[in-house]
């Protein structure tokens, strides 16, 4: 499906389409090494692009509600077509700026959207105060490269090397960043 749609609308780089299984699907599913989302959980995928990590996670966790957002209409068009073709009923894709999304979520996932300081501003106020998982509600982001400077002020950030799970050269610089969210007051989000 992605090869078909990518010929019409370029949502994945041409070199990456040949490595779709590893660079997009497996990379997205690496999040499941950190957490098994419980049934009835709500997950927001910010900047989903071609549906990553949201679509693979929705397949893996059919009893979890996924809301995939992106401000680029052509990407959301492709994601909606893929969701329909796969018959996924636990996924909603929407062309919207993530700052405008209403609702509360257990987790917010992303793939290399922006630096963590700016990302927190985008998702501020979008977390449910009820926690039903072994880890606190928060941000789970797939990132690459040296994150020491970006995450320096986030003491509670946990960095998981994806090479701990998958032995492929693509993952040598790839990481899962988990940032639990704690609340101080009703609407202010702080990272401890």
């Amino acid at each position: 499906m992605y090869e078909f749609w990518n010929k019409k609308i370029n949502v994945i780089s041409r070199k990456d389409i040949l490595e779709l299984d590893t660079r997009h699907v497996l990379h997205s599913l690496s999040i499941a090494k950190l957490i098994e989302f419980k049934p009835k959980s709500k997950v927001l995928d910010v900047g989903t692009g071609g549906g990553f990590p949201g679509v693979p996670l929705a397949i893996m966790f059919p009893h979890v509600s996924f809301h995939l957002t992106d401000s680029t209409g052509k990407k959301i068009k492709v994601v909606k077509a893929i969701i329909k073709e796969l018959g996924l009923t636990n996924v909603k894709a929407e062309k919207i700026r993530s700052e405008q999304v209403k609702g509360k979520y257990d987790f917010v996932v992303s793939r290399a959207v922006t630096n963590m300081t700016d990302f927190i501003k985008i998702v501020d106020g979008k977390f449910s105060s009820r926690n039903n998982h072994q880890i606190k509600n928060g941000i789970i982001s797939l990132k690459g490269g040296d994150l020491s400077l970006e995450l320096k002020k986030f003491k509670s950030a946990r960095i998981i090397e994806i090479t701990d799970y998958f032995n492929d050269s693509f993952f040598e610089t790839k990481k899962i960043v988990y940032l639990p969210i704690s609340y101080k007051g009703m609407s202010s989000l702080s990272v401890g």
Side-chain angles (χ1 to χ4, degrees), residues 137-154:
N137 295 356
I139 295 168
I140 302 172
S141 185
L142 297 170
K143 290 184 163 280
D146 182 1
L147 302 173
S148 55
L149 194 59
E150 177 181 343
L151 299 175
K152 186 176 182 177
K153 68 180 181 179
F154 301 104

Side-chain angles (χ1 to χ4, degrees), residues 1-2 5 43 45 48-59 64-70 75-95:
M1 285 181 291
Y2 276 101
W5 277 105
V43 178
D45 179 355
T48 194
F52 300 102
V55 170
L57 290 171
I59 294 168
V64 173
S65 294
F66 288 87
H67 185 182
L68 283 54
T69 63
D70 203 288
K75 292 179 181 179
I76 288 298
K77 177 183 177 181
V78 171
V79 173
K80 285 181 176 182
I82 288 170
I83 289 168
K84 183 177 179 183
E85 181 76 22
L86 292 172
L88 296 174
T89 58
N90 63 326
V91 186
K92 170 184 160 185
E94 183 177 16
K95 179 191 176 291

Side-chain angles (χ1 to χ4, degrees), residues 14-121:
R14 300 205 189 285
K15 67 175 185 169
D16 277 0
I17 197 72
L18 300 173
E19 300 286 339
L20 180 73
D21 293 346
T22 301
R23 295 184 179 192
H24 295 280
V25 177
L26 189 59
H27 190 212
S28 297
L29 292 175
S30 67
I31 288 173
K33 294 293 190 176
L34 171 68
I35 183 171
E36 183 173 336
F37 297 113
K38 292 189 177 181
K40 299 184 181 177
S41 297
K42 293 176 72 179
V43 178
L44 174 64
D45 179 355
V46 170
T48 194
F52 300 102
V55 170
L57 290 171
I59 294 168
M60 186 168 202
F61 298 103
H63 302 294
V64 173
S65 294
F66 288 87
H67 185 182
L68 283 54
T69 63
D70 203 288
S71 60
T72 306
K74 69 178 185 174
K75 292 179 181 179
I76 288 298
K77 177 183 177 181
V78 171
V79 173
K80 285 181 176 182
I82 288 170
I83 289 168
K84 183 177 179 183
E85 181 76 22
L86 292 172
L88 296 174
T89 58
N90 63 326
V91 186
K92 170 184 160 185
E94 183 177 16
K95 179 191 176 291
I96 188 172
R97 292 194 53 80
S98 298
E99 298 89 339
Q100 299 170 330
V101 172
K102 304 291 183 221
K104 300 289 183 185
Y105 300 87
D106 298 292
F107 293 93
V108 174
V109 298
S110 71
R111 267 184 31 153
V113 172
T114 187
N115 69 66
M116 195 58 77
T117 300
D118 290 340
F119 194 73
I120 286 172
K121 292 173 188 168

